[in-house]
Amino acid sequence: MKKQRILFILFLIYFVFAILLNSVGTVILQIISNYGVSKSAASVLEGFKDLPIAIVSFLVASFLPRFGYKKAMLAGLAIVTAACIAMPLLPGFLTTKMLFLCVGVAFALVKVSVYSTIGLISVDRKQHAGIMNTLEGFFMIGVLSAYWVFGYFIDSTNPQSQSWLQVYWLLAGLCAATFVLLLATPFDEHLAALPQDRSLAQDFAEMLKLFFKPLVCIFVITAFLYVLVEQSVGTWLPTFNNEILKLPAAMSVQVTSIFAACLAVGRLSAGVLMRRLNWYPVMNACVLGMGAMVLLALPLTHNVVVDPDISWSRAPIAAFLFPLIGLFMAPIYPGINSVMLSSLPKNQHSAMTGLLVIFSALGGTTGSLITGYVFGNFSGHFAFYLTLVPISIVLIMLYFFKKAVDGGSDGYDASAIISGQH
């Protein structure tokens, strides 16, 4: 099977999960109106999504190569198809919690498998970085699509309307179609095989040993803090637009698509940029740009009044300016992931991705909970200003990450193309 078909399927899977994972902010806005849920209570949805990602990754990542990456991806798609069907049939806050729990479990299986498969089809470090950025770019295209798809089904004139639940029939169909396409695609995973004489307990112990390497430890802390910032902004930006910038519910969701578009454009173009420039100065410039956008845009969000004739042309300038922070965020996550993974042998990619997924999930949950608490008990302005703290720490951690990378050896095993029948 040609590598291009494998890549297309990986991109499609990531596109599907991008819509599901990053619908949290939109769903929070809707369930607050539909089910009378408080902001603090609604913020637990991020935990229902992210904690299962962390737990399942921790339990299965080390021996997932034995189960099979293709089987894991098929299982993940089957789980979310069933969960999407349940949403319109059994509407309620409990069903919404179960949806995101299922999405979290499934994404743990999918992300470890997809990232590990990239290691199999990449022939060198540059190609690995290019594929990683393109994959994450497709993820953000999925996020961008989600805002408009959900926005289409939302009835802004009736906050109690549950018409938005009909979007899950569309998502269930998309998940099922992706399942069928993956099922019909053969590929070989033998290059990721673990030693046959090693037990599952030894596989798990090997993953834990990875964490105690200085390079890996610094990397997961950096990833944790980055995801904390991205999820804080992405999850609560629709509510910020609605309550602080006084935009209608549907428009609040659609304007947030600018943030996703910036992340998509940034990641799709980052592969080209990273092939010409050293990763470290690019990462530093991006982090500094993130901080600058917070300091520039947030002062413009004060004292906004309700405009009954609001439109895109009459929206506050901050509604368009603050989401541009996504351009600076874009290259950081795939950039550090690629540097880390391409420094390891291919049969360690699954375990390393497991650690990455765990700390990314914990970062997303932490960011959402902190921002939700501060938003509800203080103000939306203070909640977003607070992101300057982890942004500053990321800048410091990048310095130590570079020192650790430069001090290590390049363990990239550049041999592998997925082909044949598994």
Side-chain angles (χ1 to χ4, degrees):
M1 182 55 58
K2 294 182 179 180
K3 184 169 69 174
Q4 288 75 12
R5 180 171 176 178
I6 300 292
L7 286 174
F8 174 76
I9 292 172
L10 298 184
F11 295 159
L12 183 58
I13 291 172
Y14 241 51
F15 176 84
V16 171
F17 274 89
I19 296 175
L20 291 166
L21 288 163
N22 288 273
S23 64
V24 176
T26 302
V27 173
I28 284 175
L29 178 61
Q30 291 307 113
I31 64 172
I32 288 173
S33 299
N34 279 185
Y35 309 136
V37 179
S38 69
K39 293 183 179 66
S40 295
S43 68
V44 303
L45 291 181
E46 195 76 56
F48 270 86
K49 171 175 68 72
D50 288 339
L51 291 180
I53 294 176
I55 293 168
V56 174
S57 297
F58 181 72
L59 294 176
V60 308
S62 60
F63 52 85
L64 202 58
R66 299 189 190 279
F67 179 71
Y69 298 143
K70 179 178 177 179
K71 291 178 182 177
M73 289 185 277
L74 287 170
L77 288 167
I79 290 170
V80 293
T81 300
C84 286
I85 292 173
M87 279 294 283
L89 295 180
L90 302 168
F93 189 35
L94 177 61
T95 305
T96 308
K97 290 178 181 178
M98 292 302 100
L99 167 75
F100 285 110
L101 186 147
C102 290
V103 170
V105 170
F107 189 62
L109 300 174
V110 164
K111 184 168 184 175
V112 173
S113 300
V114 169
Y115 268 35
S116 300
T117 303
I118 290 175
L120 294 176
I121 62 178
S122 301
V123 296
D124 57 31
R125 185 188 289 271
K126 287 185 177 180
Q127 188 179 72
H128 191 282
I131 294 174
M132 186 71 76
N133 275 285
T134 305
L135 176 74
E136 293 291 345
F138 267 83
F139 186 87
M140 294 318 305
I141 292 174
V143 175
L144 175 62
S145 302
Y147 292 124
W148 288 91
V149 171
F150 272 84
Y152 176 80
F153 285 90
I154 291 173
D155 184 356
S156 295
T157 62
N158 180 14
Q160 299 300 317
S161 172
Q162 295 187 1
S163 62
W164 63 280
L165 290 171
Q166 300 307 307
V167 72
Y168 287 101
W169 291 114
L170 176 64
L171 296 178
L174 186 57
C175 292
T178 306
F179 179 95
V180 172
L181 183 60
L182 175 61
L183 185 64
T185 302
F187 56 89
D188 183 8
E189 303 172 23
H190 76 277
L191 290 169
L194 298 173
Q196 293 300 314
D197 59 348
R198 205 165 72 185
S199 67
L200 296 181
Q202 289 173 319
D203 290 342
F204 188 75
E206 287 299 315
M207 182 182 75
L208 295 181
K209 287 179 183 177
L210 272 178
F211 179 74
F212 294 101
K213 294 183 178 181
L215 171 61
V216 175
C217 188
I218 294 169
F219 163 71
V220 295
I221 293 172
T222 307
F224 171 89
L225 292 169
Y226 168 81
V227 175
L228 185 150
V229 175
E230 183 182 306
Q231 290 299 313
S232 295
V233 175
T235 300
W236 288 97
L237 193 53
T239 304
F240 185 88
N241 290 336
N242 182 243
E243 297 193 4
I244 305 300
L245 299 182
K246 313 300 182 185
L247 301 179
M251 188 176 179
S252 296
V253 173
Q254 292 166 348
V255 168
T256 306
S257 68
I258 299 173
F259 174 66
C262 289
L263 282 169
V265 171
R267 286 178 178 169
L268 289 172
S269 59
V272 177
L273 184 65
M274 298 289 278
R275 287 189 177 98
R276 292 185 169 88
L277 300 174
N278 183 274
W279 69 270
Y280 180 62
V282 174
M283 298 296 103
N284 276 326
C286 289
V287 175
L288 291 172
M290 288 167 59
M293 289 306 302
V294 172
L295 295 173
L296 178 64
L298 287 185
L300 301 176
T301 64
H302 292 276
N303 303 318
V304 177
V305 297
V306 176
D307 182 356
D309 300 318
I310 191 69
S311 65
W312 283 79
S313 61
R314 295 169 61 92
I317 189 172
F320 304 102
L321 185 60
F322 185 70
L324 296 181
I325 192 175
L327 284 173
F328 298 100
M329 284 185 176
I332 297 174
Y333 190 70
I336 61 174
N337 289 349
S338 180
V339 171
M340 184 68 253
L341 289 174
S342 59
S343 298
L344 296 172
K346 294 181 186 300
N347 63 4
Q348 290 186 347
H349 284 204
S350 178
M352 183 65 251
T353 303
L355 292 175
L356 166 65
V357 173
I358 291 166
F359 282 88
S360 296
L362 293 175
T365 298
T366 304
S368 180
L369 290 174
I370 291 175
T371 304
Y373 176 81
V374 175
F375 202 122
N377 292 276
F378 296 92
S379 72
H381 297 102
F382 183 55
F384 277 6
Y385 272 121
L386 207 58
T387 60
L388 290 171
V389 176
I391 287 173
S392 300
I393 300 175
V394 167
L395 188 64
I396 297 170
M397 295 305 298
L398 282 174
Y399 169 76
F400 291 105
F401 185 48
K402 182 181 185 299
K403 287 192 68 176
V405 170
D406 291 345
S409 60
D410 184 357
Y412 195 90
D413 176 15
S415 60
I417 290 184
I418 293 180
S419 60
Q421 175 74 45
H422 174 60

